[in-house]
Amino acid sequence: MEQKCKYIFVTGGVTSSLGKGIISSSLAKLLQARGYRVTIQKFDPYINVDPGTLNPYEHGECYVTDDGAETDLDLGHYERFLNVPTSQANNVTTGRIYQTVIENERRGDYLGKTVQVVPHITDEIKRRMKLLGDSGKFDIVLTEIGGTVGDIESLPFVEAVRQLLWEMGEDNAIVIHLTLVPYLKAAGELKTKPTQHSVRFLLESGVKPDILVCRTEHHLNTDIRRKIALFCNVNVNAVIESIDLETIYDVPLVMLKEKLDKVVLSKLKLAAKQEPELLQWKEFLQHVKHPKHEVNIALVGKYVELPDAYKSINEAFIHAGAASECAVNVKYFHSELLTDENVADKLRNFDGVLVAPGFGNRGIDGKLVAIKYVRENNIPFFGICLGMQCSVIEFARNVLGYKDAHSTEMNDGTKHAVIDMMASQKTISQKGGTMRLGAYDCVLTKGSSVSRAYGKTKISERHRHRYEFNNKYTAAFEKAGMMITGTNPETGLAEIVEIPTHPYFIGVQFHPELKSTVENPHPLFVKFIKKAMTLRG
Ligand code: GLN
């Protein structure tokens, strides 16, 4: 029987952080640009059911899909590159696999049998690996296996891949292995041994890679390519160089030059169709690399030591900057270090300030100090989720005079709970997967700054929070000049606050950064950058 969907498995060796997510996204982009319907899924070997309960220091940002899945940050790259939404099915962890198998066992599905890693866990991995392909919506599914081959916890995934390769046949499923070719300064040489070892490990697991993508700081010459091909049992044209680049958005074009897409298509017996249609991508890249303008933005947050914690916000700035041919220089400020005494010195020279999302009490005071300063000094402000909630608290305290105003997340005894837990949240005791998650509709006030930015009054944005603006205070806030300009049509929850008398003061309860892509920069980021540019003069 002719199999409809083709599969590409992407594994990694030698070390983590080689950029499997970017390579997968770039290849998928090229295949999409040739006219194929492509999606990418990620299988993560850790035992958390999803990364929603992980601290950003552990695993970077938690990315949220339209259908409310809390996922790995690589899904953000997939969406930003492909401009196609992902879903719960695109990210699966060991925890989720075991959860399903154990639920099946308790229901009695395996009655009489001993439940084992092989075949029960591997069967569940395989079932999930094929789900998106079986939907009929895609011609090609890329599956990225998180972690590094050789890790104990990756073994069931590699075994599942081995079985699928055998079941599907070599024209329908291939493996791309990403490795590192380090440069030894003392020897003045690139070293292929780690790659050989990592491929040997894969071979011992019964998986033969079809293509090797080699991360390197120096170009691979023909001799090195031949050597890798010979010792790793692949064609010379299947040794692909992935050299360090100025921006991740260069990677698809460099992979095109290396002919990664062509090698993949020929192995999968697929037609090359057209030359990749990448006009808009190239134009975007041109704007990123040769900006005509520049703005300086301060990002106030508490996970600033780890830029991955704010990955989508950083990328959204790049997209929005490119839309205005403007370089956006983002400087991080640790909110714990901002005080009434130093805030003017620190923020005075910035063209805009973004206060980041977050959880818990640490660093809240610094966020309030920053917001007071930008509100009083007409510096463009953009508050996201906790950043929006802080702008409400700051306004309540310093404009409305509710001195103890707070969110009940930080102080549940406050007399002025301007941010409070949603009623529907109060009975929840489980932490994982129970926040207000995923896409919700929002209706914008006609004539508001946000409705002008979006160019419409009905939008949908993604959420991830437990607390909300307390509508008991709406009248008081609006009378004093902070307007609710976006509300959820079903529940009446306030989703956006604005101060219309300020040049740009917008706080959003949702996460606009999660919907910004290369092709569709987010309107609120675009407007924020434009405002920052104009005020800078
Ligand atoms: N901690 C806040 C809440 O749960 C904000 C969450 C966020 O910024 N994502 O409502």
Side-chain angles (χ1 to χ4, degrees):
M1 193 184 73
E2 180 63 13
Q3 177 180 317
K4 286 204 194 71
C5 183
K6 306 266 184 174
Y7 289 83
I8 301 168
F9 297 98
V10 183
T11 57
V14 184
T15 162
S16 58
S17 307
L18 288 182
K20 278 196 303 272
I22 302 295
I23 292 292
S24 302
S25 303
S26 301
L27 171 60
K29 182 78 221 167
L30 294 178
L31 298 170
Q32 182 192 56
R34 284 190 185 270
Y36 286 102
R37 297 170 307 157
V38 190
T39 190
I40 318 176
Q41 54 188 0
K42 178 153 194 208
F43 280 65
D44 274 312
Y46 52 75
I47 297 180
N48 304 61
V49 170
D50 63 43
T53 51
L54 290 173
N55 183 317
Y57 289 123
E58 290 278 320
H59 207 66
E61 160 191 284
C62 174
Y63 190 77
V64 181
T65 57
D66 275 337
D67 66 352
E70 295 177 281
T71 72
D72 186 82
L73 57 76
D74 272 336
L75 271 77
H77 291 307
Y78 307 163
E79 289 202 8
R80 289 187 281 274
F81 275 56
L82 296 182
N83 202 35
V84 175
T86 53
S87 68
Q88 176 75 74
N90 291 74
N91 190 199
V92 177
T93 66
T94 292
R96 196 170 290 279
I97 302 277
Y98 271 80
Q99 190 183 45
T100 309
V101 171
I102 290 170
E103 277 167 11
N104 293 348
E105 189 274 335
R106 291 289 83 185
R107 221 182 15 247
D109 291 2
Y110 314 115
L111 268 191
K113 292 266 183 292
T114 309
V115 182
Q116 294 181 298
V117 173
V118 184
H120 301 99
I121 295 298
T122 45
D123 279 353
E124 179 58 18
I125 297 177
K126 279 164 34 181
R127 186 183 73 79
R128 289 191 182 256
M129 280 179 171
K130 289 190 289 189
L131 268 184
L132 286 168
D134 289 345
S135 72
K137 290 192 200 135
F138 304 102
D139 306 311
I140 305 171
V141 174
L142 281 90
T143 303
E144 183 189 340
I145 311 289
T148 311
V149 296
D151 297 347
I152 291 177
E153 52 192 19
S154 307
L155 285 174
F157 293 96
V158 176
E159 168 60 12
V161 170
R162 185 196 67 75
Q163 294 184 17
L164 283 177
L165 292 169
W166 183 83
E167 288 168 18
M168 292 173 175
E170 60 184 15
D171 294 349
N172 295 316
I174 59 168
V175 173
I176 299 180
H177 188 57
L178 188 62
T179 74
L180 178 69
V181 179
Y183 181 77
L184 281 199
K185 232 206 231 142
E189 265 182 351
L190 286 166
K191 291 293 181 190
T192 66
K193 195 68 89 190
T195 297
Q196 294 179 42
H197 280 299
S198 137
V199 170
R200 183 165 307 158
F201 194 89
L202 255 188
L203 290 170
E204 277 169 18
S205 315
V207 173
K208 177 181 142 16
D210 298 278
I211 297 169
L212 296 176
V213 175
C214 304
R215 271 304 293 272
T216 174
E217 287 170 8
H218 295 267
H219 288 292
L220 307 179
N221 62 27
T222 320
D223 284 348
I224 296 262
R225 287 181 194 244
R226 280 183 178 286
K227 189 170 170 188
I228 294 174
L230 176 67
F231 287 111
C232 300
N233 219 0
V234 298
N235 299 333
V236 182
N237 73 349
V239 177
I240 305 289
E241 171 190 288
S242 168
I243 197 142
D244 291 357
L245 296 164
E246 189 186 324
T247 145
I248 55 168
Y249 297 106
D250 267 331
V251 182
L253 299 178
V254 172
M255 288 302 115
L256 180 67
K257 267 204 204 110
E258 284 282 307
K259 303 195 173 64
L260 174 61
D261 57 328
K262 278 201 165 153
V263 180
V264 163
L265 290 170
S266 101
K267 291 207 183 282
L268 289 173
K269 303 277 184 294
L270 287 171
K273 291 198 186 178
Q274 67 213 30
E275 277 308 300
E277 211 283 271
L278 291 165
L279 228 61
Q280 197 187 345
W281 191 276
K282 286 181 184 162
E283 189 182 44
F284 159 79
L285 207 50
Q286 186 68 15
H287 290 170
V288 171
K289 288 188 169 178
H290 307 287
K292 298 200 176 101
H293 319 276
E294 182 181 33
V295 289
N296 295 317
I297 302 292
L299 189 153
V300 178
K302 68 172 174 181
Y303 308 113
V304 294
E305 302 86 345
L306 185 80
D308 266 4
Y310 303 116
K311 188 98 221 160
S312 294
I313 292 177
N314 282 321
E315 301 306 317
F317 274 134
I318 296 175
H319 307 153
S324 295
E325 298 187 58
C326 178
V328 181
N329 309 319
V330 181
K331 184 162 172 13
Y332 294 100
F333 284 91
H334 205 304
S335 54
E336 277 181 302
L337 304 178
L338 284 177
T339 62
D340 281 323
E341 292 68 44
N342 67 20
V343 67
D345 268 356
K346 298 225 187 243
L347 298 184
R348 184 183 295 123
N349 293 324
F350 283 88
D351 308 309
V353 173
L354 183 144
V355 177
F359 293 84
N361 204 11
R362 188 167 66 90
I364 290 290
D365 290 344
K367 289 186 173 175
L368 299 177
V369 163
I371 294 169
K372 178 167 190 281
Y373 180 76
V374 296
R375 182 177 56 75
E376 291 177 345
N377 291 280
N378 291 329
I379 295 175
F381 164 76
F382 193 11
I384 297 182
C385 209
L386 182 61
M388 172 267 198
Q389 297 175 353
C390 286
S391 74
V392 167
I393 297 165
E394 190 279 323
F395 196 87
R397 289 187 186 179
N398 300 324
V399 179
L400 295 174
Y402 308 154
K403 288 294 165 220
D404 77 328
H406 222 320
S407 161
T408 49
E409 179 181 4
M410 328 300 165
N411 173 8
D412 58 11
T414 173
K415 280 213 293 298
H416 294 97
V418 288
I419 303 290
D420 198 3
M421 193 180 266
M422 286 174 272
S424 59
Q425 285 283 336
K426 290 191 173 149
T427 51
I428 291 175
S429 58
Q430 294 231 81
K431 289 264 191 275
T434 54
M435 280 189 259
R436 184 177 180 218
L437 290 167
Y440 285 90
D441 287 342
C442 173
V443 174
L444 308 178
T445 308
K446 282 205 185 82
S448 60
S449 173
V450 282
S451 75
R452 288 197 303 274
Y454 279 95
K456 55 184 175 186
T457 53
K458 199 164 175 269
I459 58 161
S460 166
E461 292 283 0
R462 295 182 196 168
H463 292 249
R464 182 174 187 250
H465 55 102
R466 258 180 238 288
Y467 296 82
E468 295 284 348
F469 179 83
N470 186 342
N471 274 332
K472 208 170 93 183
Y473 293 98
T474 307
F477 272 78
E478 296 206 326
K479 199 160 158 238
M482 179 178 265
M483 314 307 279
I484 310 298
T485 54
T487 33
N488 178 285
E490 277 97 47
T491 54
L493 290 171
E495 314 282 39
I496 306 178
V497 297
E498 267 186 52
I499 300 180
T501 51
H502 187 283
Y504 190 91
F505 192 103
I506 289 175
V508 293
Q509 184 58 81
F510 47 80
H511 290 269
E513 72 277 18
L514 302 178
K515 287 190 58 166
S516 180
T517 70
V518 168
E519 271 167 54
N520 284 322
H522 195 283
L524 293 184
F525 277 87
V526 172
K527 182 139 185 194
F528 180 53
I529 295 305
K530 284 210 167 109
K531 255 304 180 235
M533 282 164 68
T534 359
L535 291 177
R536 184 186 164 96

